[in-house]
Amino acid sequence: MSILHRTDSVTALFPRYVSHFRCIGADCEDTCCSGWDISIDQKTFEAYTDPKKYYPPALKKLFGKNIRIQTQSPTKEKYASAINDPCTNNCPFLQENLCAIHRDIGEDKLSNTCFNFPRFTRKFLGNIEQTLTLSCPEAARLALLQADAFDFVEGELSVRPEALSVIDEKWGMSVDEMNEIRIFCFQLMRTEGLEIWERLVVLGAFCRELDRVLKGESPPGITNLLENFLFVIESGEAVKMLSKVQPDYGFQAKLFHTIWNTRKAQPRSPSRQVMQDSIAKALGADQKTGLLDPEILVETYRKGLKNLPSALAETPYLLEHYVLNEMFRDCFPFGAQSAYQNYLGIVFRFGILRFMLSAISVDSHSLPNKDALLKTVVVFCRIYQYDSLADLFNLALKEVGWDRLEDAYGLLPS
């Protein structure tokens, strides 16, 4: 049988934890072959449905019955999808917790989506980079628990050239300037002596100023901008700035609850449903109606937020490494129309995840263990990670009485 998708061996840059990743297959507690709308690229779809190609009879039958072309605006990469089992929400090709396509006809016959997951690989300014999405339990364990997970290394990877995303020069900046900015932002988020929310506040100020420089509203010069912010951090000016940032727990609780609640009833698996139900219960929701008193919500959230550092004592890198992973995956701050827009995306995801972690930390006598914390991250990524959160946040802001978010700083203090 001929090769469907060619792979190349390339040298790539990636966080150290990526080099340790191996799919654990049937041993995975939350398989990636369930609970998703699995996209199939056009090349793979045409191969699966080609009457001239030989496949094992059982597999050929599944190809005929269980994949369909997208009804709305199919693209080359998202041309078709698998029709999941309506009872289990499993992919139709999942058999005994293994992929029948991979098992019976080989890895090269997998769609690009299935071949890549949980890997996210791109070509940035001519260089290959890879990270993993933390909706995979094994990836989350490797990324969030090890101190050296985000030391960067180079190594050989097998990639499909056709499936690489490509990022070239943006906003009129040189290659060196883009690399300097990415490195600075990453180093900023690893600054010792500042809480993670404090680092995020400084990062937001940097992104705003970067946008102003690029628009010509501030003195030109990326080098000057980097030097000025380095001085702000090293001189202690950042600490003075942070002292003026006051928490608004009521706003945080109501906003993040509103966002969380939009997806509460869409877990798409029993284990994720258990997690969402436990969060609702911890927040004080009525077990019959699901309704929640706003005052109880705010008080419960504050209590959980207070207990969260103790809950995270076993996993001291969890939130920092989550943010670092998102930044590298986003090619931060070049992953949106502006640096500040990319920043808001990071803040929104961080805020919802911290809300969920705080909810399971409400009871100081029964704090979540390492496994429960990791599972919360995985469930968050499964349910919320792949949505465009901008529209959800705009709707949520209106619900809590705000027209729009002028700045995100009030969402961050803990």
Side-chain angles (χ1 to χ4, degrees):
M1 197 177 292
S2 61
I3 299 294
L4 177 60
H5 293 285
R6 176 178 63 85
T7 58
D8 289 346
S9 181
V10 298
T11 300
L13 177 72
F14 43 81
R16 187 181 299 279
Y17 84 89
V18 172
S19 66
H20 300 307
F21 176 77
R22 301 291 182 276
C23 175
I24 59 176
D27 294 328
C28 186
E29 65 268 32
D30 195 0
T31 175
C32 57
C33 302
S34 180
W36 302 96
D37 293 323
I38 300 174
S39 298
I40 300 172
D41 56 277
Q42 186 174 358
K43 181 178 179 180
T44 303
F45 173 82
E46 290 174 351
Y48 289 169
T49 56
D50 185 346
K52 296 178 182 178
K53 290 188 179 293
Y54 171 78
Y55 297 114
L59 201 55
K60 194 173 186 72
K61 185 177 179 180
L62 287 173
F63 286 152
K65 290 178 58 178
N66 293 93
I67 56 177
R68 63 185 172 197
I69 297 175
Q70 298 278 13
T71 56
Q72 292 185 343
S73 304
T75 64
K76 187 176 179 180
E77 274 304 304
K78 296 183 178 181
Y79 185 77
S81 59
I83 303 172
N84 288 353
D85 184 301
C87 297
T88 63
N89 218 6
N90 288 347
C91 172
F93 303 100
L94 182 65
Q95 298 177 0
E96 297 178 349
N97 245 22
L98 292 172
C99 174
I101 298 173
H102 190 293
R103 180 194 64 201
D104 295 344
I105 57 176
E107 187 178 43
D108 69 288
K109 306 301 188 298
L110 293 173
S111 69
N112 286 333
T113 295
C114 295
F115 173 82
N116 286 329
F117 187 87
R119 303 164 187 86
F120 187 88
T121 313
R122 66 168 162 261
K123 182 181 286 187
F124 176 72
L125 303 177
N127 299 309
I128 305 297
E129 301 177 345
Q130 188 177 92
T131 188
L132 308 180
T133 177
L134 305 186
S135 52
C136 167
E138 182 66 8
R141 274 187 286 270
L142 294 169
L144 302 179
L145 299 182
Q146 302 301 317
D148 65 351
F150 281 88
D151 293 346
F152 282 87
V153 297
E154 284 190 333
E156 294 297 307
L157 295 177
S158 181
V159 302
R160 288 184 181 176
E162 67 194 86
L164 284 175
S165 64
V166 179
I167 297 181
D168 294 315
E169 295 176 24
K170 293 188 71 171
W171 307 336
M173 300 175 64
S174 71
V175 171
D176 287 343
E177 288 175 332
M178 291 179 73
N179 277 320
E180 281 187 64
I181 287 171
R182 287 186 74 199
I183 292 168
F184 175 82
C185 291
F186 220 82
Q187 290 175 338
L188 171 55
M189 286 310 300
R190 306 192 81 170
T191 302
E192 295 182 359
L194 295 178
E195 298 290 334
I196 187 165
W197 72 263
E198 294 175 319
R199 297 175 226 168
L200 282 168
V201 170
V202 179
L203 183 66
F206 173 79
C207 288
R208 273 193 158 170
E209 195 60 25
L210 173 61
D211 285 343
R212 291 183 63 198
V213 168
L214 294 173
K215 292 176 182 177
E217 297 173 2
S218 285
I222 297 300
T223 300
N224 288 338
L225 174 65
L226 294 172
E227 288 176 350
N228 289 342
F229 265 84
L230 192 60
F231 172 79
V232 166
I233 296 167
E234 293 179 346
S235 68
E237 287 298 314
V239 175
K240 294 179 183 178
M241 178 182 77
L242 291 166
S243 67
K244 300 176 183 178
V245 180
Q246 297 300 313
D248 188 336
Y249 297 120
F251 180 50
Q252 288 182 25
K254 292 171 185 176
L255 181 64
F256 291 128
H257 174 263
T258 301
I259 298 296
W260 171 79
N261 203 45
T262 62
R263 294 291 184 268
K264 172 179 170 290
Q266 300 178 27
R268 307 188 73 175
S269 88
S271 64
R272 282 170 244 157
Q273 184 65 66
V274 169
M275 170 63 71
Q276 294 291 68
D277 289 345
S278 68
I279 289 174
K281 182 179 179 181
L283 292 171
D286 185 280
Q287 292 189 7
K288 292 183 178 179
T289 66
L291 297 177
L292 186 59
D293 183 282
E295 291 185 7
I296 293 176
L297 167 65
V298 174
E299 184 56 35
T300 303
Y301 172 69
R302 290 188 66 166
K303 190 184 296 183
L305 203 56
K306 182 181 178 181
N307 294 337
L308 189 55
S310 298
L312 292 173
E314 260 195 287
T315 58
Y317 312 106
L318 187 141
L319 280 175
E320 177 186 319
H321 283 192
Y322 168 77
V323 172
L324 292 176
N325 200 68
E326 291 304 288
M327 289 175 66
F328 191 64
R329 193 183 70 128
D330 278 5
C331 202
F332 188 89
F334 304 108
Q337 292 182 343
S338 71
Y340 195 72
Q341 188 177 50
N342 202 169
Y343 168 74
L344 286 178
I346 297 288
V347 169
F348 294 164
R349 282 172 261 167
F350 169 80
I352 300 170
L353 175 59
R354 189 178 61 175
F355 175 85
M356 293 173 67
L357 292 169
S358 297
I360 65 171
S361 303
V362 168
D363 186 353
S364 60
H365 301 293
S366 182
L367 292 175
N369 61 21
K370 177 176 63 178
D371 290 339
L373 293 167
L374 284 172
K375 184 176 181 180
T376 304
V377 176
V378 171
V379 169
F380 161 76
C381 291
R382 279 290 192 111
I383 298 176
Y384 301 90
Q385 189 76 44
Y386 300 95
D387 284 329
S388 173
L389 294 179
D391 291 340
L392 289 177
F393 262 82
N394 287 332
L395 290 172
L397 286 168
K398 291 178 181 178
E399 283 196 35
V400 298
W402 287 48
D403 288 330
R404 61 194 181 103
L405 192 61
E406 294 294 345
D407 66 58
Y409 305 147
L411 299 176
L412 291 168
S414 57

